[in-house]
Amino acid sequence: MVQQLIAEKGGTIPFSEYMDLALYAPAMGYYVAGQRRFGAKGDFVTAPELGDVFGKCLARQIVQIFEAIDERCHILEFGAGSGKLAATLIKALENDGALPERYLILETSPDLQQRQLETLKQRVPQHVERFSWLDRMPEQAINGVILANEVLDAMPVEMFAVDDHGIPQQYLVKAAEAGFQWDYCQAPEKLAEKIIQLDLPAGYSSEINPAVDGWIAMLAEGLTQGVVLLIDYGFPQHEYYHPQRTGGTLMCHYRQHSHPDPLTLVGIQDITAHVDFTAVAEAAVAADMD
């Protein structure tokens, strides 16, 4: 499918498009196809898989947010993984007398939706009817909390390099007999402007998340009053593009092993990049969030 699309588009596609297909293409993308991803038997372990401490800590924060809001509150969680975090939160919020009116899960993978439902039936059967699944933002803005744990790092990024003449180059992906290969072209104007602003030396390569501005603006529109909680691994911008971090942060995860080659194991390995926290904060300010 990916090779066919590359051929239809003239022989190359931007890396961001390739990463989106590898992770989210219908029936074949890593987060869409049915396979175990989380936990010791999967490809990587996230904090909710290790126990309840992470969820209980978040619940204490959510209680404080709910107490500051006069209206009935909701939780909207992006990419709820195995559903363990949602189950822990509901249990902890019940103990604190602060249950949300609804717990919405925005999840595009039918396989993960089913797994999340099974987890909730096992762990909090008395609250299953409180949950609803969405494949897009709710039509009406909510009061409460929008939660995304390790979601930003799975957004498709653009890979780039600064050539010997200081000109930003965009990474492209092309099909080859044995799979896929790299190609390059001069970065388009909007991407080049962002790269130039970073003031990076010749030979430097890294990534930029082109979708973060629009995604944060969408969250701002979807929240009447409340807090957006984004938990992820990353750096402020001056550390993300540190002079010594000349190869970027992109990594792949397969069966508890990490490696830097995203052009292999298409659809069966995770592809991820660290988060530029400064870019996220600037996007939030631009969207009139505090």
Side-chain angles (χ1 to χ4, degrees), residues 129-171:
E129 293 184 359
R130 198 176 296 271
F131 289 84
S132 299
W133 280 263
L134 310 172
D135 58 8
R136 60 179 61 87
M137 285 290 287
E139 294 182 2
Q140 293 185 333
I142 67 169
N143 298 300
V145 172
I146 295 179
L147 172 64
N149 177 48
E150 295 197 34
V151 170
L152 280 164
D153 65 84
M155 287 187 180
V157 295
E158 289 291 4
M159 293 181 65
F160 68 86
V162 180
D163 70 12
D164 293 339
H165 304 288
I167 299 173
Q169 302 292 320
Q170 180 184 30
Y171 278 62

Side-chain angles (χ1 to χ4, degrees), residues 146 216-217 219-221 223 226-228 280-281 283-290:
I146 295 179
I216 293 294
L219 301 189
E221 290 181 3
L223 191 64
V227 172
V228 177
V280 176
V285 172
D288 296 325
M289 299 174 77
D290 295 328

Side-chain angles (χ1 to χ4, degrees), residues 172-210:
L172 304 174
V173 177
K174 64 180 180 181
E177 289 186 9
F180 301 93
Q181 292 179 349
W182 292 115
D183 202 352
Y184 309 90
C185 72
Q186 188 167 329
E189 184 177 357
K190 287 186 178 180
L191 178 60
E193 287 177 357
K194 291 186 179 229
I195 298 169
I196 290 170
Q197 290 173 2
L198 297 172
D199 192 25
L200 300 170
Y204 199 100
S205 63
S206 193
E207 320 89 22
I208 283 180
N209 182 341

Side-chain angles (χ1 to χ4, degrees), residues 1-251:
M1 176 180 176
V2 179
Q3 289 184 329
Q4 179 182 350
L5 182 62
I6 290 175
E8 292 173 355
K9 296 207 169 185
T12 61
I13 57 174
F15 177 75
S16 61
E17 191 170 346
Y18 168 86
M19 182 172 171
D20 183 64
L21 290 168
L23 296 182
Y24 303 109
M28 66 147 282
Y30 178 77
Y31 283 108
V32 179
Q35 57 185 342
R36 182 172 291 275
R37 305 160 188 84
F38 313 104
K41 295 182 180 180
D43 297 315
F44 54 86
V45 179
T46 58
E49 304 297 320
L50 297 174
D52 293 341
V53 173
F54 178 72
K56 289 179 178 179
C57 290
L58 276 179
R60 295 187 67 182
Q61 178 70 78
I62 291 172
V63 170
Q64 294 175 342
I65 296 167
F66 284 1
E67 289 175 346
I69 298 174
D70 295 332
E71 305 292 332
R72 293 180 177 178
C73 294
H74 296 70
I75 295 175
L76 169 59
E77 183 180 359
F78 275 74
S82 67
K84 289 183 179 178
L85 177 57
T88 300
L89 285 176
I90 283 294
K91 275 186 180 180
L93 293 173
E94 180 181 36
N95 292 338
D96 288 327
L99 282 168
E101 182 176 339
R102 300 292 297 168
Y103 195 120
L104 310 173
I105 296 177
L106 200 158
E107 178 61 72
T108 59
S109 167
D111 174 68
L112 285 176
Q113 286 185 16
Q114 185 60 38
R115 185 173 175 191
Q116 291 155 10
L117 176 59
E118 291 172 358
T119 298
L120 295 169
K121 284 181 176 179
Q122 291 173 1
R123 296 188 171 221
V124 285
Q126 71 276 26
H127 294 302
V128 169
E129 293 184 359
R130 198 176 296 271
F131 289 84
S132 299
W133 280 263
L134 310 172
D135 58 8
R136 60 179 61 87
M137 285 290 287
E139 294 182 2
Q140 293 185 333
I142 67 169
N143 298 300
V145 172
I146 295 179
L147 172 64
N149 177 48
E150 295 197 34
V151 170
L152 280 164
D153 65 84
M155 287 187 180
V157 295
E158 289 291 4
M159 293 181 65
F160 68 86
V162 180
D163 70 12
D164 293 339
H165 304 288
I167 299 173
Q169 302 292 320
Q170 180 184 30
Y171 278 62
L172 304 174
V173 177
K174 64 180 180 181
E177 289 186 9
F180 301 93
Q181 292 179 349
W182 292 115
D183 202 352
Y184 309 90
C185 72
Q186 188 167 329
E189 184 177 357
K190 287 186 178 180
L191 178 60
E193 287 177 357
K194 291 186 179 229
I195 298 169
I196 290 170
Q197 290 173 2
L198 297 172
D199 192 25
L200 300 170
Y204 199 100
S205 63
S206 193
E207 320 89 22
I208 283 180
N209 182 341
V212 69
D213 291 348
W215 190 73
I216 293 294
M218 178 184 69
L219 301 189
E221 290 181 3
L223 191 64
T224 303
Q225 58 175 328
V227 172
V228 177
L229 295 176
L230 307 176
I231 302 99
D232 233 307
Y233 43 88
F235 309 100
Q237 196 166 89
H238 71 279
E239 293 182 15
Y240 197 108
Y241 301 108
H242 191 277
Q244 294 179 343
R245 189 170 284 112
T246 59
T249 70
L250 190 130
M251 291 294 290

